[in-house]
Amino acid sequence: MRFEHPATFNPIDQLKVIGHPTSRIDGPLKTTGTAPYAYERHDVAANQAYGYVVGSAIGKGRIGSIDLEAAKAAPGVLAIVTAGNAGKLGKGERNAAPLLGGPEIAHYHQAVAVVVAGTFEQARAAAQLVRIDYVKGDGKFDLAAERDKGVTPHPSFGGPADTAVGDFAAAFAGAPVQLDATYTTPDQGHAMMEPHASIAAWDGDKLTVWTSNQMIAWGAEDMAKTLGIAKENVRLVSPYIGGGFGGKLFLRAEVLLAALGARAAGRPVKVALQRPLMFNNTTHRPATIQRIRIGAERDGKITAIGHESWSGNVKDGEPEMAVSQTRLLYAGASRMTATRLAALDLPEGNAMRAPGEASGMMALEIAIDELADKLGIDPVVLRISNDTQVDPEHPERHFSQRQLVQCLSDGAARFGWDKRNPKPGAVRDGRWLVGMGVAAAFRNNLVTKSAARVRLDQNGIVTVETDMTDIGTGSYTIIAQTAAEMMGVPLDKVGVRLGDSDFPVSCGSGGQWGGNNSTAGVYAACTKLREAIAQKLGFNSEEAVFADGVVRSGNRSVPLAQAAGGGDLVAEDAIEYGDLAKTYQQSTFGAHFVEVGVDADTAEIRVRRMLAVCAAGRILNPKAARSQVIGAMTMGVGAALMEDLVVDRRHGLFINHDLAAYEVPVHADIPHQEMIFLDETDPISSPMKAKGVAELGICGVAAAVANAVHNATGVRVRDYPITLDKLLAGMPEPV
């Protein structure tokens, strides 16, 4: 099915199942511990052995020598794989550094060996006996030191590196009110609950991997390329994923080493990365240095806006596109964005929930508040007055939907923004200095091809098969809701099978594109199945009504299951997109409001209230969508107040590489979170008229917290995270 024109009324618009706050159909499995995650698939292959990964102990250099004799002689050891005996390996298109290092070392904890043994304990003990002598090289581990050596990167996922409209330099120089500030965001880790884990089994030259991966087709392609085998000989299975946040978008070391270990040992092998290797061996959100310049008239109209960002990565890595939202969020005749990429020898930087915008909004939305302070204008009013209904860089292109003003105004009314005292440090509640902050939320809506297969059996059961994944986002449920709505059956008559490369290729889970595109692919397949059923039952497919388990037209009604009386009816199709995404700018919008308390003596920060208002097209399942947004809001608090992968600049590693030292929010850190979805459908996006929402919820949260801290204390922190040591010196004098 090709989607080339705005959606009109279709079966989804009945809203009998779609749009209702439906509990997750996979919830009982997960809450009872019976959902099979990758490492726990004890039933899929007999005689499983265990692999333990050895990571490089240096950040740059090479292996001088490696002694495996003691490890080979250890009890239970079946095989040890290194770059020396692994055979010729390629590199997947989506991997910047080789997944198996040696003799050259690209980064700290790059995998250099896997020890395979009969038990996990045997593999772990033997791994300690591997003796490696390294020749250390001079690595580059400090973004600030390498900033000026940054180069203009090639166009990437976030678009071109640089953009320019008008004469920014002249407009900024001539603006009566100017802001010129630099902000930094640190490296951040995904820290998902489930580690990267895989079980690999060979059957001749065919490989099956049970793994934890967000993008099945990408993983199968890159596994085949890395091993140098045909893609049709690789099967990836990943029905349940215990969190990903972008860290499981691509093939990682444990998948490859499980496959190599299984081939060497001659039996299935399971491998899970230990937590320190998850921080240093897999990907992370790269640190940024961002300079923002804004020029405005005294009435608040922005006349010039410029955003420059520097980030670092390993060779062949991509930049953090922190300037993306600045190209689209606010009006301004003269504009400039620039992205520079420095060469670093740290572990690979890549996608983490809302790559680009999450980091960029952390800076931009503080800058907007700082401009509001200079102008003496309310921060909400300033944002509203610089709204635009067209792409500021391409004014001929309108937004398909843009309710940013409504998000801000509705949120301000709901949150009680009119009670905010604009004077910093003026509001107290006992020992607490109290402040309110606001930030806009922005994330683009991305459309991409997605396919599914739908089957009707003689019992009236509809089964959907697609390689789409569920990383905790509710894919199982919204796909089931889509099929139920389209086929006119209750939810308990729908089965959903996900995460298998034997199924049709979906959009996968990432970039906030999963929900809209995957359900649109199911819509396409169901449309084809409806046509087959109507033809089988002798109905005109355009007139047939599917409802309550029957097919009706005029005064004739036939049970749906009757169409499959002679055998299952199967239909497969994909949603493919025309030029609507080029004709219209598709984005999602929101507003975050935060109230904090800051201890007047210790500068301890406590988030007291949070509100998010989001406009993201049709909300397919408000219950699941709310969970996504409040989870993202929680991550935003972590980004604001605690998350920081601290770089050891001597040795090139993230030194706090475990969940004891890498701090993330816990229940005590998060108050009740309120969130509102505006009533919106977007017929430009897909037949579902929906958009993604899972990443919108994190964009802007950290800045709203930072702005609230400033309102509470008068201290402006431009370097995240906002820790008490950055506040103490500037705190208001005791009353």
Side-chain angles (χ1 to χ4, degrees):
M1 175 184 288
R2 192 159 177 83
F3 184 70
E4 298 183 295
H5 305 285
T8 56
F9 186 84
N10 64 55
I12 294 298
D13 294 312
Q14 300 173 106
L15 300 181
K16 293 181 179 179
V17 187
I18 286 291
H20 293 264
T22 306
S23 296
R24 298 243 299 261
I25 62 176
D26 53 319
L29 292 175
K30 291 182 175 179
T31 55
T32 57
T34 52
Y37 291 89
Y39 201 74
E40 303 162 350
R41 302 299 298 267
H42 312 298
D43 57 324
V44 295
N47 201 28
Q48 295 175 18
Y50 293 78
Y52 194 90
V53 177
V54 178
S56 168
I58 64 171
K60 186 67 175 178
R62 60 184 176 85
I63 295 174
S65 64
I66 183 167
D67 183 353
L68 304 177
E69 294 309 310
K72 286 180 178 179
V77 172
L78 303 171
I80 302 176
V81 179
T82 69
N85 63 7
K88 183 179 179 181
L89 296 176
K91 188 174 75 170
E93 290 183 16
R94 301 165 184 89
N95 296 125
L99 297 179
L100 180 58
E104 298 301 316
I105 298 299
H107 61 82
Y108 190 87
H109 270 172
Q110 182 180 25
V112 294
V114 62
V115 178
V116 180
T119 70
F120 171 78
E121 291 78 11
Q122 289 172 334
R124 180 178 59 183
Q128 314 310 312
L129 301 177
V130 175
R131 295 290 176 257
I132 303 176
D133 289 326
Y134 295 95
V135 179
K136 290 185 179 181
D138 294 326
K140 300 174 181 177
F141 308 127
D142 187 344
L143 175 60
E146 301 300 320
R147 166 183 170 172
D148 292 340
K149 301 175 188 175
V151 299
T152 304
H154 297 294
S156 65
F157 176 79
D162 299 353
T163 62
V165 176
D167 188 339
F168 167 76
F172 180 73
V177 180
Q178 300 174 347
L179 172 76
D180 184 347
T182 297
Y183 307 85
T184 67
T185 65
D187 297 287
Q188 296 174 355
H190 298 91
M192 71 288 287
M193 289 180 66
E194 181 199 24
H196 291 71
S198 298
I199 299 173
W202 291 87
D203 182 4
D205 60 356
K206 295 186 181 297
L207 171 68
T208 300
V209 179
W210 295 267
T211 188
S212 186
N213 186 279
Q214 297 175 229
M215 302 290 294
I216 299 299
W218 289 3
E221 290 170 2
D222 279 354
M223 178 65 98
K225 184 173 181 179
T226 304
L227 292 173
I229 62 178
K231 181 185 172 184
E232 54 267 26
N233 286 347
V234 176
R235 182 187 178 198
L236 255 65
V237 184
S238 188
Y240 296 97
I241 302 170
F245 308 122
K248 296 175 181 174
L249 284 174
F250 316 110
L251 202 68
R252 299 313 310 166
E254 101 289 345
V255 191
L256 175 64
L257 294 180
L260 294 174
R263 188 163 63 185
R267 58 193 272 194
V269 169
K270 61 171 58 181
V271 177
L273 291 185
Q274 51 269 46
R275 187 63 65 171
L277 264 68
M278 288 179 63
F279 284 100
N280 283 297
N281 177 277
T282 70
T283 60
H284 69 284
R285 192 196 303 280
T288 68
I289 301 170
Q290 302 178 52
R291 182 189 183 191
I292 297 178
R293 286 174 283 172
I294 308 175
E297 301 289 353
R298 297 198 183 279
D299 63 0
K301 179 182 178 182
I302 293 174
T303 56
I305 184 165
H307 192 163
E308 300 164 273
S309 176
W310 293 261
S311 59
N313 216 331
V314 295
K315 183 178 181 293
D316 297 330
E318 295 188 349
E320 178 76 352
M321 289 297 294
V323 303
S324 299
Q325 71 291 318
T326 307
R327 297 171 177 174
L328 291 162
L329 191 51
Y330 296 115
S334 295
R335 321 175 63 83
M336 175 275 292
T337 67
T339 301
R340 298 293 178 265
L341 178 62
L344 294 180
D345 299 306
L346 292 172
E348 180 186 349
N350 213 305
M352 181 170 161
R353 197 174 197 168
E357 287 99 331
S359 298
M361 298 288 281
M362 289 172 75
L364 176 64
E365 287 301 288
I366 293 182
I368 293 294
D369 254 49
E370 293 202 60
L371 179 64
D373 288 345
K374 281 178 170 284
L375 292 163
I377 296 176
D378 181 272
V380 171
V381 173
L382 179 63
R383 288 173 170 85
I384 289 174
S385 65
N386 285 285
D387 184 49
T388 173
Q389 292 299 309
V390 299
D391 176 348
E393 292 190 348
H394 305 282
E396 72 282 358
R397 194 161 69 138
H398 287 254
F399 286 93
S400 60
Q401 296 279 349
R402 181 180 167 116
Q403 294 199 76
L404 175 60
V405 170
Q406 196 71 34
C407 292
L408 287 163
S409 57
D410 284 9
R414 184 68 169 255
F415 200 69
W417 185 258
D418 60 332
K419 298 180 178 62
R420 171 184 177 268
N421 190 326
K423 181 181 178 182
V427 178
R428 286 181 176 260
D429 179 11
R431 65 189 177 97
W432 298 97
L433 297 164
V434 180
M436 294 186 192
V438 64
F442 174 91
R443 176 73 171 158
N444 276 327
N445 180 60
L446 304 174
V447 293
T448 185
K449 181 179 178 180
S450 190
R453 181 164 53 236
V454 187
R455 182 187 314 273
L456 174 68
D457 69 17
Q458 61 185 356
N459 296 315
I461 302 296
V462 176
T463 301
V464 182
E465 295 174 334
T466 171
D467 81 354
M468 180 61 183
T469 50
D470 190 327
I471 57 174
T473 46
S475 300
Y476 277 102
T477 308
I478 61 170
I479 284 173
Q481 288 177 271
T482 302
E485 194 78 74
M486 289 294 293
M487 304 310 302
V489 297
L491 206 58
D492 61 7
K493 289 286 188 179
V494 177
V496 179
R497 301 179 67 196
L498 300 180
D500 191 326
S501 59
D502 281 352
F503 298 157
V505 176
S506 72
C507 58
S509 295
Q512 194 176 270
W513 62 62
N516 178 43
N517 293 293
S518 66
T519 54
V522 174
Y523 172 97
C526 286
T527 298
K528 185 172 281 190
L529 182 60
R530 283 165 61 108
E531 293 170 354
I533 291 170
Q535 183 177 5
K536 185 77 177 289
L537 297 177
F539 289 108
N540 182 329
S541 61
E542 294 184 0
E543 298 175 356
V545 176
F546 289 69
D548 305 319
V550 300
V551 186
R552 291 193 298 268
S553 182
N555 58 5
R556 183 170 170 241
S557 177
V558 180
L560 180 69
Q562 188 172 312
D568 292 358
L569 284 183
V570 182
E572 183 176 326
D573 204 355
I575 191 74
E576 297 185 72
Y577 296 91
D579 291 334
L580 284 176
K582 299 177 183 177
T583 306
Y584 294 89
Q585 173 59 43
Q586 296 188 37
S587 304
T588 59
F589 297 90
H592 291 289
F593 293 84
V594 173
E595 180 181 277
V596 303
V598 181
D599 189 292
D601 297 315
T602 67
E604 174 191 358
I605 302 168
R606 286 289 177 185
V607 178
R608 296 158 63 107
R609 290 192 295 141
M610 302 182 74
L611 167 67
V613 182
C614 298
R618 168 175 284 150
I619 303 302
L620 303 178
N621 183 340
K623 190 173 188 177
R626 178 183 181 275
S627 291
Q628 285 302 295
V629 173
I630 64 173
M633 292 162 71
T634 301
M635 289 184 74
V637 172
L641 301 180
M642 55 195 75
E643 291 192 52
D644 183 1
L645 274 177
V646 179
V647 179
D648 183 327
R649 294 181 175 86
R650 302 163 302 165
H651 304 299
L653 72 150
F654 299 128
I655 198 70
N656 54 335
H657 50 211
D658 57 40
L659 291 179
Y662 182 79
E663 296 184 9
V664 296
V666 298
H667 282 295
D669 296 310
I670 304 300
H672 174 72
Q673 299 159 306
E674 187 178 8
M675 73 102 19
I676 300 167
F677 290 114
L678 295 189
D679 186 15
E680 177 181 291
T681 55
D682 193 339
I684 303 296
S685 67
S686 78
M688 304 300 294
K689 303 174 185 175
K691 296 177 182 174
V693 74
E695 297 182 330
L696 177 68
I698 194 175
C699 296
V701 175
V705 174
N707 293 335
V709 169
H710 174 261
N711 181 240
T713 65
V715 182
R716 180 66 74 181
V717 179
R718 298 190 181 102
D719 302 303
Y720 290 97
I722 307 167
T723 47
L724 59 86
D725 56 299
K726 298 172 184 176
L727 294 177
L728 279 170
M731 292 286 285
E733 292 295 325
V735 176

